[in-house]
């Protein structure tokens, strides 16, 4: 049997096991069973490899998380050492361990000003559910038990657990589980390209920020607990708010005594060119949620960062915080996260994303805007979006039944590039370690695949 045949047989066996026994996240299983899952077997640097030996450049850093790239010895060593020394212990009932103590201190150093205490979870979703419980507890301790409604935004993505999915504003996530839960409401988001119409970005920024104030006044500030938002909306289509948006949101939250909980799961750890999206966009959070880049995805770990407003109340509650996971601050995950943060600092990855690497990425991204199928490119740091449109001038979309973005993504897979399609918005978010030659390759492939999509549509 040839090597290629052996690989193909092995791939088939994995696909069969998988199809028979594995319920995948966010997957249409009939389609998957018919096609067979792509089996990824290894990864190095900015590249992933499948079981047939194909190499793909990972323009999405996994799910927006592998900041330091794949295969880093430093992280493997840190995890191995912790596995031998203290593979497990918990932080319940007045115990701790060096890994979680050191990670907490490091996070206090790098997170936005005022964020100084941390609760650990295992995923971004758990982080947000934990944050919602903290917010409720805070207002109960403050003797304002009516202040419970949480306002989030349309097209937001905050995860899949019950509260996190209720916060999310991607409505397709709701009906299967009868969500959102009571007490979660959504306001429009600052998606100027899609929804701004004839308004200038500034006018639209102000309008969508003021939608928060209108909602607070409608509900009564005495009933509103918090506003929850991503600095830049990721899974909703890389929505970068107009420059005046966040200043107005800061003002409104302060005026009405509303907790501002900022979901930094995608924007954290250098993605936007500073340590956190809050730093880049001038946000003044009371609390933040982080995951993904915290460990570069090498271990499941998330953290809720708490500023003094909420922290002083929770830490002086005089009663037990009745919440926590068996694996909160898991020693191996904490050790890997700490090694990851040290590596990000040592290699100056945040400075690079905000400097030369980010500038080169943005230059290459902007070059795609001359393409007949591209209505707009936009980006910050190492985040980039490419809007595929029917009419560049009017911003008219293709009919969603044409699945233009999906077709483009199919071409990407076939040509060795991972680029995400969110409707007809193509998104890139590569590892922060990507170099210029790799960016040339990535954007070259992106252009080729947009060309192929245009050809399918009879445009080129
Ligand atoms: N918040 C944001 C902003 C996210 O992008 C995500 C995941 N894409 C989550 C929360 C949920 O994180 P997890 O998948 O780790 O639960």
């Amino acid at each position: 049997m040839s090597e290629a045949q052996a690989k193909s047989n092995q791939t088939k066996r994995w696909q069969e096991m998988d199809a028979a026994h594995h319920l995948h996240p966010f997957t249409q299983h009939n389609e998957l069973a018919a096609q067979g899952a792509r089996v990824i077997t290894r990864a190095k640097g900015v590249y992933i490899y499948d079981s047939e030996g194909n190499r793909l450049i990972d323009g999405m850093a996994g799910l927006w998380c592998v900041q330091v790239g794949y295969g880093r010895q430093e992280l493997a060593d840190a995890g191995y050492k912790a596995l031998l020394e203290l593979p497990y212990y918990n932080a319940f009932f007045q115990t701790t361990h060096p890994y979680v103590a050191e990670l907490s201190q490091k996070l206090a150093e790098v997170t936005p000003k005022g964020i100084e205490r941390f609760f650990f979870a295992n995923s971004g979703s758990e982080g947000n559910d934990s944050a919602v419980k903290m917010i409720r507890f805070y207002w109960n301790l403050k003797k304002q038990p009516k202040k419970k409604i949480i306002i989030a935004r349309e097209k937001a993505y905050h995860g899949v657990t019950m509260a996190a999915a209720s916060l999310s504003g991607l409505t397709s996530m709701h009906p299967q589980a009868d969500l959102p839960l009571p007490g979660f409401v959504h306001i429009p988001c600052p998606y100027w390209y899609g929804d701004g119409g004839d308004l200038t970005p500034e006018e639209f920024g102000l309008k969508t920020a003021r939608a928060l104030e209108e909602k607070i006044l409608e509900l009564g500030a005495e009933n509103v607990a918090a506003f929850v938002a991503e600095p830049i909306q990721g899974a909703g289509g890389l929505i970068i708010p107009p420059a005046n948006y966040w200043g107005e949101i800061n003002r409104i939250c302060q005026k009405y005594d509303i907790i501002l909980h900022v979901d930094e799961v995608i924007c954290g750890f250098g993605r936007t060119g500073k340590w956190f999206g809050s730093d880049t966009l001038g946000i003044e959070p009371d609390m933040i949620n982080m995951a993904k880049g915290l460990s570069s995805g090498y271990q499941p770990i998330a953290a809720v960062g708490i500023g003094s407003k909420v922290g002083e109340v929770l830490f002086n509650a005089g009663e037990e915080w009745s919440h926590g996971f068996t694996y909160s601050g898991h020693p191996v995950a904490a050790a890997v996260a700490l090694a990851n943060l040290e590596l990000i600092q040592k290699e100056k990855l945040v400075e690079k994303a905000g400097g030369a690497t980010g500038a080169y990425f943005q230059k290459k991204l902007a070059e795609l805007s001359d393409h007949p199928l591209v209505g707009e490119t936009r980006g910050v740091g190492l985040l980039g979006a490419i809007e595929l449109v029917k009419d560049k001038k009017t911003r008219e979309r293709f009919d969603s039944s044409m699945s233009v973005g999906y077709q483009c993504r199919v071409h990407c897979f076939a040509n060795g590039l991972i680029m995400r399609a969110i409707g007809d918005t193509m998104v890139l978010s590569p590892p922060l370690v990507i170099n210029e030659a790799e960016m040339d390759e990535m954007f070259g492939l992106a252009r080729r695949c947009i060309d192929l999509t245009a050809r399918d549509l009879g445009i080129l």
Side-chain angles (χ1 to χ4, degrees):
M1 197 190 321
S2 72
E3 199 187 328
Q5 190 58 50
K7 275 186 182 161
S8 165
N9 289 350
Q10 177 61 67
T11 299
K12 247 204 162 109
R13 279 196 292 276
W14 280 324
Q15 286 172 331
E16 281 165 10
M17 291 174 205
D18 189 81
H21 304 293
H22 180 191
L23 184 69
H24 287 241
F26 285 101
T27 295
Q28 223 281 28
H29 284 82
N30 300 337
E31 273 173 23
L32 182 77
Q35 288 165 16
R38 179 182 293 270
V39 184
I40 305 301
T41 50
R42 65 191 178 91
K44 184 77 189 159
V46 300
Y47 295 100
I48 61 171
Y49 298 83
D50 70 16
S51 54
E52 309 275 349
N54 297 306
R55 187 184 88 157
L56 297 104
I57 187 161
D58 186 3
M60 281 305 294
L63 285 175
W64 333 67
C65 54
V66 188
Q67 315 304 69
V68 298
Y70 297 95
R72 301 304 303 263
Q73 190 70 42
E74 295 88 338
L75 274 62
D77 287 345
Y80 182 67
K81 189 162 166 279
L83 278 165
L84 289 175
E85 247 168 40
L86 187 68
Y88 177 72
Y89 207 69
N90 60 73
F92 283 46
F93 317 134
Q94 287 154 15
T95 59
T96 193
H97 52 75
Y99 305 100
V100 76
E102 289 176 20
L103 177 61
S104 301
Q105 177 176 288
K106 176 61 80 180
L107 283 174
E109 184 193 313
V110 300
T111 48
K113 196 165 152 273
I115 302 291
E116 56 213 12
R117 293 162 162 137
F118 303 91
F119 172 79
F120 292 94
N122 309 294
S123 68
S125 302
E126 287 178 14
N128 277 326
D129 269 55
S130 302
V132 167
K133 289 177 76 176
M134 271 179 217
I135 290 164
R136 290 190 173 189
F137 186 31
Y138 170 83
W139 289 116
N140 287 339
L141 287 167
K142 293 284 282 183
K143 308 249 175 307
Q144 296 185 65
K146 277 173 58 197
K147 241 171 135 58
K148 288 290 158 58
I149 298 172
I150 300 190
I151 303 175
R153 296 181 298 182
E154 293 165 6
K155 294 192 168 69
Y157 187 81
H158 296 294
V160 294
T161 43
M162 293 299 270
S166 297
L167 289 170
S168 297
L170 293 165
T171 48
S172 59
M173 294 170 64
H174 291 153
Q176 289 176 357
D178 307 320
L179 295 173
L181 297 171
F184 292 84
V185 301
H186 296 88
I187 57 170
C189 64
Y191 182 26
W192 176 79
Y193 189 80
D195 305 331
D198 294 333
L199 299 181
T200 65
E202 286 65 34
E203 287 165 348
F204 190 66
L206 211 54
K207 180 175 170 208
T208 43
R210 295 270 165 86
L212 175 61
E213 188 158 34
E214 284 159 25
K215 186 54 86 178
I216 293 168
L217 293 173
E218 177 196 321
L219 297 166
E222 70 283 9
N223 298 314
V224 179
F227 177 58
V228 177
E230 302 152 82
I232 291 168
Q233 287 174 250
L238 206 74
I239 299 166
I240 304 173
N244 56 353
Y245 179 81
W246 272 110
E248 192 62 9
I249 296 285
N250 287 333
R251 179 190 73 74
I252 294 166
C253 289
Q254 279 155 23
K255 178 168 177 194
Y256 297 99
D257 195 14
I258 306 293
I259 293 173
L260 177 54
H261 173 53
V262 177
D263 189 342
E264 294 270 8
V265 166
I266 284 178
C267 293
F269 305 101
R271 177 59 59 200
T272 66
K274 294 200 173 159
W275 270 94
F276 286 85
S278 293
D279 303 325
T280 302
L281 298 173
I283 308 170
E284 294 165 15
D286 295 308
M287 297 167 47
I288 63 175
N289 185 33
M290 57 208 125
K292 297 192 189 281
L294 169 55
S295 67
S296 283
Y298 280 52
Q299 285 285 296
I301 183 167
V304 182
I306 310 159
S308 59
K309 173 180 167 131
V310 176
E312 288 306 314
V313 174
L314 296 190
F315 276 70
N316 294 304
E319 62 179 284
E320 184 175 293
W321 159 235
S322 297
H323 181 77
F325 304 103
T326 299
Y327 301 135
S328 283
H330 190 286
V332 179
V336 171
L338 183 60
N340 171 61
L341 299 183
E342 286 169 353
L343 193 57
I344 290 175
Q345 287 184 317
K346 186 170 140 226
E347 298 191 343
K348 299 201 179 329
L349 296 182
V350 179
E351 292 80 353
K352 286 181 184 164
T357 308
Y360 194 74
F361 177 91
Q362 294 302 331
K363 175 175 156 282
K364 300 293 294 182
L365 176 71
E367 283 169 14
L368 291 173
S369 58
D370 67 1
H371 195 284
L373 200 55
V374 175
E376 177 185 76
T377 61
R378 59 175 177 271
V380 177
L382 284 179
L383 281 172
I386 305 157
E387 296 273 7
L388 305 182
V389 292
K390 192 168 171 188
D391 188 323
K392 279 170 92 89
K393 271 215 191 77
T394 62
R395 316 204 300 250
E396 192 194 340
R397 304 300 175 116
F398 291 101
D399 193 278
S400 61
S401 65
M402 292 169 72
S403 306
V404 172
Y406 176 79
Q407 285 312 324
C408 183
R409 197 190 66 156
V410 170
H411 285 304
C412 290
F413 265 123
N415 284 275
L417 170 66
I418 306 279
M419 179 156 71
R420 180 150 165 180
I422 300 172
D424 292 344
T425 309
M426 307 308 296
V427 175
L428 289 168
S429 170
L432 306 187
V433 292
I434 194 166
N435 65 31
E436 290 194 2
E438 290 160 345
M439 284 192 268
D440 288 344
E441 182 190 348
M442 181 174 76
F443 282 105
L445 288 172
R447 182 176 286 275
R448 187 195 306 164
C449 295
I450 296 169
D451 277 350
L452 290 169
T453 310
R455 214 162 289 163
D456 294 343
L457 293 163
I459 292 171
L460 272 185

